[in-house]
Amino acid sequence: MGKSLSRALVSAAVYVYGFLTVVSYGLIALAKGTYFKRPTENEKRDLQLARARLWDLSKEFEGLSHHVLTLRSGFKFHFVSNDVPNTPETIKSDKPLVIFIHGFPDSWAIWRHIIRNPGLQEAVSLVAIDLPGYGGTESLEEYNATNVLEKLTELIVTLRTQYGVDSGSESNKKRTIIVAHDWGCVLSMRLAAEAPSLAHRFILSNGPSTKLVESNIRRLLFSANKMLGNAWRSPLHAHVPLMQALRTLIPLARQLVLSGYIFAMQLPTPIVCYFLSGGHQSFLKKCHLASFNKDEYTLLDMASTMASTMGPSAAESDTKTPSGDTYPASLGERAFAHVMHMAGYYRDRAATARWAKSAETVASLHSIASGKRLASTGAGLFDEGPPGTLKASTTIFWGKDDIALDQRICLDGMGDYLVHGSQIMLLPRTGHWTPVERESGAALIKTVEWAAQGEEGDIGTVIAEPYPGVQVTFSR
Ligand SMILES: *[C@@H]1O[C@H](CO)[C@@H](O)[C@H](O)[C@H]1NC(C)=O
């Protein structure tokens, strides 16, 4: 009885806070005048052109071609790549495979400034995917952890085959690197913890490890509770521990404010739909504007970012890749409630719920792990670390001006969750969207090159060239 009552109270609090968030975002959009701002004819035309540029399967985008891969389960993933998968040339080449995974509310196109880099295209096989429910990839019925991570793992295992990572005696030479941001980062932290054999290195930016966040929240609440206890015991000197308790809770309060939109996404479907697309999509537009931080944001950028979020339009839905593949049929049905698929990741606990691995997944993870010297990372052999420890070498980038995530909640203690060969790098002039900003984008390109070329030299020194002032706060 007590338990169900407290659960009901928590749900009520989540709903109330979510609802207040929707109302306050609406009021801000009204006050700023973005709420009633209809797109002009020019803006509509620019958006359509941008969608054709990003989503027409028959066209190349700056050296990248479109591919639709059908998994054994029949599920279709869309991605772009500079090399054609499953051809003798690609399988035989010794280029490392680099897989890019985007976050909310984006698609493969958030990486466009990075993956069109000619030097990178020369050096590695680039694959930028759309997550399930986003862009040109099929939808899921439910975005629970098992569904999402199973599909993602099956895709990565298949890509490793189609790009020749695990084929023949060359298997030790070819490296696989996963680069991810925001929700892509959240999911990749789970892969690095629960399926570390998928990649030799993870390069992850501005997304939380949910296990670490949970532990940080518990720690802060515990300390504050202790201080309040002290205040209670000696009321005459209460102000000191009271102030201490308040100060301890500041990061938590700040994260709670920043996370208001996550609470809003727990509300009933029509309200979430309205929140994410009402007022001429003012919420999504606000995200994209923020993603450029201090960089210039042009009308062209506005069209490209919205085209990235919205995915293929009816005009692109009938296009075909050079090898004759088409978008999944479910894309058409999704058009009306596309935003609910993005919200699904927040609603169905993709970050926190248990991943029940299928027998097929366990078998394929085992088979790629056995081809590799796992011991070389020193991971997971003797010291398992706390639950959620990342068991593959990981480079974490953190834009310090993040407007969605509090650094103290998401990064304090992260070192305990990392194994040999890992680093944490703080980017002092960058916000949440590291793949978008010019300076952090250049740093990401350098890091991918460093990882692809065998990780020679100190990464801090390598990154200091494109990003002077980068702070390496952890290196093991
Ligand atoms: C995840 O969603 C699928 C439906 O798409 C369902 O069959 C499965 O039971 C769900 N798993 C969990 C753990 O909720």
Side-chain angles (χ1 to χ4, degrees):
M1 182 65 200
K3 224 177 194 158
S4 63
L5 179 65
S6 67
R7 206 172 296 151
L9 282 176
V10 168
S11 315
V14 167
Y15 268 45
V16 168
Y17 184 42
F19 195 72
L20 289 176
T21 305
V22 173
V23 171
S24 59
Y25 275 54
L27 289 176
I28 292 171
L30 275 176
K32 288 199 170 163
T34 52
Y35 196 85
F36 289 118
K37 198 162 168 287
R38 287 178 180 287
T40 64
E41 285 309 312
N42 275 350
E43 281 167 7
K44 280 190 206 160
R45 190 206 52 209
D46 287 351
L47 177 62
Q48 197 47 56
L49 287 174
R51 287 176 93 169
R53 211 163 45 240
L54 296 181
W55 298 108
D56 186 329
L57 292 177
S58 65
K59 293 211 185 88
E60 284 217 343
F61 178 88
E62 316 230 6
L64 304 153
S65 53
H66 291 270
H67 304 276
V68 179
L69 193 158
T70 307
L71 300 180
R72 244 184 336 198
S73 54
F75 189 86
K76 282 185 170 190
F77 265 100
H78 168 256
F79 62 91
V80 300
S81 180
N82 57 328
D83 292 322
V84 183
N86 222 11
T87 57
E89 305 91 83
T90 301
I91 290 173
K92 263 190 269 148
S93 99
D94 55 8
K95 284 161 114 183
L97 169 64
V98 187
I99 301 168
F100 293 83
I101 310 176
H102 67 86
F104 171 87
D106 296 297
S107 67
W108 74 267
I110 196 171
W111 305 102
R112 64 192 178 283
H113 302 297
I114 293 173
I115 56 181
R116 72 174 167 215
N117 181 282
L120 217 49
Q121 291 191 2
E122 189 71 30
V124 300
S125 292
L126 300 156
V127 170
I129 70 161
D130 291 336
L131 282 170
Y134 281 88
T137 292
E138 199 156 351
S139 315
L140 287 172
E141 211 173 298
E142 212 179 300
Y143 293 83
N144 60 37
T146 297
N147 264 356
V148 172
L149 292 169
E150 283 285 304
K151 290 288 178 285
L152 200 50
T153 302
E154 195 184 344
L155 171 70
I156 295 169
V157 168
T158 311
L159 286 173
R160 286 174 63 112
T161 308
Q162 299 207 349
Y163 283 80
V165 172
D166 297 302
S167 60
S169 56
E170 301 287 299
S171 68
N172 280 339
K173 280 197 189 151
K174 230 164 156 163
R175 294 170 60 78
T176 304
I177 298 155
I178 291 178
V179 187
H181 168 251
D182 188 78
W183 257 106
C185 175
V186 173
L187 298 171
S188 297
M189 286 207 177
R190 291 201 64 171
L191 295 180
E194 297 167 67
S197 57
L198 283 177
H200 298 90
R201 172 163 299 275
F202 289 79
I203 300 171
L204 307 178
S205 152
N206 288 70
S209 148
T210 38
K211 287 280 188 263
L212 170 66
V213 168
E214 284 167 7
S215 140
N216 277 343
I217 291 175
R218 268 199 309 272
R219 181 173 52 81
L220 292 178
L221 287 177
F222 181 79
S223 311
N225 194 27
K226 249 186 147 165
M227 293 162 193
L228 288 178
N230 290 344
W232 179 250
R233 271 190 298 280
S234 49
L236 286 182
H237 307 285
H239 66 282
V240 177
L242 269 181
M243 288 312 286
Q244 278 176 335
L246 279 180
R247 221 172 304 137
T248 305
L249 291 176
I250 285 174
L252 210 55
R254 180 166 178 267
Q255 185 59 65
L256 202 60
V257 171
L258 298 181
S259 299
Y261 71 100
I262 298 176
F263 289 79
M265 292 211 217
Q266 312 305 320
L267 295 169
T269 307
I271 305 181
V272 177
C273 246
Y274 185 71
F275 173 59
L276 291 177
S277 50
H280 304 291
Q281 301 178 304
S282 55
F283 177 79
L284 296 174
K285 285 178 181 160
K286 185 172 164 252
C287 289
H288 291 313
L289 173 63
S291 74
F292 278 65
N293 199 15
K294 293 166 205 126
D295 285 357
E296 189 194 0
Y297 186 62
T298 64
L299 285 175
L300 181 67
D301 293 323
M302 187 167 141
S304 303
T305 51
M306 278 315 279
S308 164
T309 290
M310 293 168 78
S313 71
E316 291 85 47
S317 63
D318 296 332
T319 57
K320 282 195 168 103
T321 66
S323 52
D325 292 319
T326 58
Y327 283 121
S330 66
L331 234 53
E333 299 151 26
R334 193 161 81 202
F336 297 103
H338 184 196
V339 288
M340 285 318 293
H341 292 268
M342 301 184 185
Y345 285 76
Y346 297 94
R347 293 164 72 85
D348 302 340
R349 305 199 307 127
T352 49
R354 202 174 80 84
W355 171 13
K357 287 192 190 116
S358 66
E360 288 86 357
T361 297
V362 172
S364 45
L365 288 176
H366 180 77
S367 101
I368 59 179
S370 59
K372 233 176 36 183
R373 307 141 301 153
L374 252 196
S376 68
T377 66
L381 289 182
F382 304 108
D383 180 9
E384 285 286 322
T389 295
L390 279 54
K391 300 197 180 78
S393 302
T394 302
T395 306
I396 293 181
F397 274 103
W398 196 270
K400 288 184 77 171
D401 290 338
D402 197 314
I403 55 161
L405 299 167
D406 186 273
Q407 188 181 319
R408 291 159 294 186
I409 299 286
C410 299
L411 228 46
D412 278 4
M414 187 71 216
D416 297 343
Y417 289 71
L418 297 174
V419 292
H420 181 72
S422 301
Q423 309 87 20
I424 301 176
M425 329 258 273
L426 298 183
L427 305 176
R429 296 177 293 279
T430 302
H432 176 69
W433 282 272
T434 41
V436 176
E437 287 185 56
R438 215 168 293 137
E439 215 181 6
S440 48
L444 281 175
I445 290 175
K446 268 272 184 257
T447 310
V448 172
E449 281 173 355
W450 168 83
Q453 289 158 5
E455 310 192 350
E456 286 183 21
D458 172 56
I459 180 70
T461 316
V462 171
I463 297 312
E465 186 208 318
Y467 203 111
V470 60
Q471 300 157 5
V472 184
T473 60
F474 175 88
S475 181
R476 174 179 283 167

